[in-house]
Amino acid sequence: MIHEDEYKQRRDTFAQSLKNDSVAVLFSAEPKTRSNDTEYPYRQDSNFYYLTGFTEDKAALIFVKKSKKTKTYLFVYKKDPVEELWNGKRLGLQRAKELFSVDDVFEQSELTAKLKSFLEHKKRLYYDFKLDYSKVKILKRYAKGIDLFENAASMIESMRLIKSDAEIALIKEALRITKKAHHHAMKRAKILHYEYELQAVIEYVFRKNGAQSDAYTSIVASGNNANTLHYIDNDALLEKESLILIDAGCEYNYYASDITRTIPASGKFSDAQKELYRLVLDVQKSIISMIKPGVKRSSLQQKAEKMLCRGLVDLGILHGKVKKLLKKKAHKKYFPHGIGHWMGIDVHDQCPYKDKKGSEIPLQKGMVLTIEPGIYIDEDDSSVEERFRGIGIRIEENILVTEKGYENLSKKIKKEIKDIESLAS
């Protein structure tokens, strides 16, 4: 768990970055309607959660900075027995005052009046530029004297780049659960019939082991479905001669895991499947070995593309000189995506890849990213030998950058051919 002391430290760090005579306003997420009067399970805005750890809606966090001193105010929704009967207990004003290290806590009904007074005689307003227009309209109604507007979200997202020990512990717990789910899927795939059955097995293990939810919609893509990168229908028959690409991770206390494994539906890889799988696995291992502080993600991408291109030539899938093929981006037909992304509170963590000057941010100790090379060959690609067609393979790990190198946080999730086949037998 992350303690209030750490949330307080984050708020202090954010406050220090604010200019004098300014106000920063952050809102909780709005509930999302599923249909008519039913809603999706509530999930807090990631930046709001990062600064507060507060999971209720109808809340706001406001920083008021004047003469280098900052006051912080939290607004929470009132306790109401009738509403709580239908929708669950609220923390309420008094309990919030006890739990949160802020200068004061108010009920949400006071927000408009307080906001008006906070914004008087201020020069600068910070808010999330992706904020719903209705809230922006309210803010700007009381910010008539302000002509400098800055994106609070981008400032917080820069802070989120470096994970604390407590955050890393939560990601590790998410991965511990995800390991169980993927291993269970490897064992069960041979006896199941449809993609959705395998999805159900995976998500059952998530919930059974304490994960609050999946971190994203699970991908269970058999055969040619794996060549649709964001395939989420998960309703096809598991054909026993095909591979199954499973991209599934859980969310544990707001922190994500993001793992892809590709397994044989029959429990055994064919020779053609092994050739492609070994290529992807060798590339992944090589790229992971490069990770250390100071390395740029673009160099990892370039190395991965070069290795995959060379491997595709060796297998007769691409033809020509590697250097020319890379220049023509011929390999992109089979590896169209990036080598990885930041990961944390969001599965694709909303952290910057470039600094304010537009330069790429190199890897630093405490960053967490995915490494996920892949090869995707459509079943209708007549330029490729028939034995390779309809195969999509991706292998994804979650990597922590350490002081001198890296730690593979997901290394216990099996990915060697012999280990996957052993689990499936």
Side-chain angles (χ1 to χ4, degrees):
M1 295 293 292
I2 298 176
H3 297 290
E4 171 60 11
D5 287 349
E6 184 166 329
Y7 292 115
K8 171 69 162 57
Q9 185 179 37
R10 294 173 185 175
R11 293 192 292 271
D12 289 345
T13 299
F14 176 72
Q16 288 167 11
S17 66
L18 302 176
K19 302 292 186 183
N20 284 339
D21 297 319
S22 67
V23 175
V25 183
L26 297 165
F27 292 102
S28 59
E30 291 290 331
K32 297 289 194 298
T33 299
R34 176 175 173 173
S35 66
N36 191 23
D37 59 351
T38 61
E39 295 176 342
Y40 288 105
Y42 183 73
R43 208 275 189 182
Q44 186 58 278
D45 175 81
S46 294
N47 286 332
F48 191 88
Y49 182 82
Y50 183 77
L51 292 185
T52 65
F54 191 46
T55 59
E56 292 184 12
D57 66 335
K58 298 180 181 177
L61 182 68
I62 298 182
F63 299 78
V64 181
K65 189 163 188 176
K66 185 178 181 180
S67 302
K68 298 183 179 180
K69 291 184 179 180
T70 306
K71 296 282 188 179
T72 308
Y73 305 101
L74 180 66
F75 291 77
V76 302
Y77 196 67
K78 65 181 180 180
K79 288 187 70 64
D80 183 314
V82 175
E83 286 197 27
E84 290 182 353
L85 173 65
W86 290 94
N87 299 314
K89 298 291 185 182
R90 290 275 184 175
L91 193 65
L93 182 66
Q94 294 307 316
R95 190 70 178 127
K97 286 185 175 184
E98 295 169 11
L99 293 178
F100 293 98
S101 300
V102 293
D103 291 288
D104 210 343
V105 181
F106 302 103
E107 287 191 347
Q108 191 258 1
S109 59
E110 296 186 70
L111 178 60
T112 301
K114 293 290 183 183
L115 187 59
K116 184 178 180 180
S117 66
F118 291 155
L119 286 168
E120 285 181 359
H121 310 300
K122 298 300 186 295
K123 298 178 180 178
R124 193 180 307 251
L125 173 62
Y126 299 82
Y127 68 96
D128 186 344
F129 284 3
K130 299 188 295 293
L131 191 63
D132 181 82
Y133 177 72
S134 62
K135 284 194 170 71
V136 175
K137 192 174 179 180
I138 293 170
L139 283 176
K140 293 193 173 180
R141 184 188 306 164
Y142 301 115
K144 293 179 180 177
I146 292 176
D147 54 10
L148 292 171
F149 298 92
E150 298 202 32
N151 191 359
S154 62
M155 297 162 64
I156 301 165
E157 287 154 9
S158 293
M159 293 169 58
R160 287 167 53 186
L161 264 173
I162 307 300
K163 272 59 180 178
S164 69
D165 290 344
E167 290 180 288
I168 293 165
L170 291 173
I171 294 171
K172 286 182 175 180
E173 180 59 17
L175 283 164
R176 184 190 69 81
I177 296 168
T178 299
K179 179 195 77 171
K180 288 187 175 185
H182 276 269
H183 286 179
H184 198 51
M186 291 174 191
K187 293 175 184 177
R188 299 279 295 172
K190 190 165 67 172
I191 63 172
L192 298 178
H193 301 287
Y194 287 90
E195 293 167 341
Y196 56 76
E197 294 180 89
L198 205 49
Q199 179 183 3
V201 163
I202 291 164
E203 294 176 3
Y204 164 76
V205 175
F206 287 166
R207 295 304 300 267
K208 184 176 184 293
N209 286 273
Q212 285 70 39
S213 67
D214 47 11
Y216 49 96
T217 303
S218 300
I219 296 170
V220 181
S222 62
N224 198 59
N225 292 334
N227 295 313
T228 300
L229 297 182
H230 292 162
Y231 174 82
I232 57 172
D233 290 344
N234 301 344
D235 59 359
L237 189 69
L238 298 172
E239 298 177 2
K240 292 308 174 184
E241 72 278 5
S242 69
L243 293 179
I244 310 168
L245 187 156
I246 302 173
D247 189 341
C250 71
E251 183 175 285
Y252 181 80
N253 284 355
Y254 275 80
Y255 282 81
S257 60
D258 186 6
I259 295 296
T260 307
R261 291 293 185 264
T262 307
I263 65 176
S266 67
K268 296 288 183 182
F269 289 86
S270 71
D271 290 342
Q273 290 166 353
K274 284 181 180 179
E275 289 179 67
L276 288 171
Y277 189 93
R278 287 186 182 122
L279 171 56
V280 176
L281 186 58
D282 287 347
V283 170
Q284 189 196 53
K285 288 177 178 178
S286 180
I287 299 306
I288 290 173
S289 72
M290 295 171 60
I291 292 177
K292 62 181 179 180
V295 170
K296 293 182 178 179
R297 286 178 61 264
S298 59
S299 65
L300 304 179
Q301 181 75 30
Q302 290 164 9
K303 180 68 179 293
E305 291 186 14
K306 187 174 182 180
M307 290 185 68
L308 284 167
C309 187
R310 183 181 292 114
L312 291 168
V313 169
D314 291 343
L315 291 172
I317 295 168
L318 286 176
H319 305 278
K321 299 290 185 181
V322 171
K323 190 174 182 179
K324 288 185 177 179
L325 290 168
L326 287 168
K327 190 173 182 180
K328 292 191 297 183
K329 301 186 184 300
H331 61 290
K332 286 290 190 182
K333 179 180 180 181
Y334 304 109
F335 177 50
H337 58 74
I339 192 59
H341 55 79
W342 306 135
M343 192 187 80
I345 294 179
D346 294 304
V347 67
H348 290 173
D349 226 7
Q350 301 174 69
C351 304
Y353 292 93
K354 294 182 178 181
D355 62 24
K356 291 180 180 179
K357 296 180 180 179
S359 299
E360 183 179 355
I361 297 173
L363 299 182
Q364 301 172 45
K365 177 185 174 182
M367 292 178 172
V368 176
L369 70 158
T370 66
I371 297 296
E372 47 183 305
I375 291 176
Y376 313 91
I377 304 174
D378 192 84
E379 63 185 1
D380 294 327
D381 189 347
S382 58
S383 68
V384 177
E385 281 186 72
E386 189 172 354
R387 67 195 187 105
F388 291 132
R389 296 178 201 167
I391 295 177
I393 296 169
R394 183 166 65 253
I395 311 170
E396 180 178 23
E397 302 281 35
N398 300 166
I399 308 297
L400 169 68
V401 183
T402 60
E403 186 174 359
K404 294 184 179 179
Y406 69 90
E407 179 184 352
N408 184 350
L409 301 177
S410 50
K411 65 182 178 182
K412 292 183 179 180
I413 305 175
K414 297 186 184 299
K415 63 179 178 180
E416 298 292 340
I417 289 173
K418 62 180 178 59
D419 292 332
I420 293 172
E421 291 184 338
S422 177
L423 269 179
S425 65

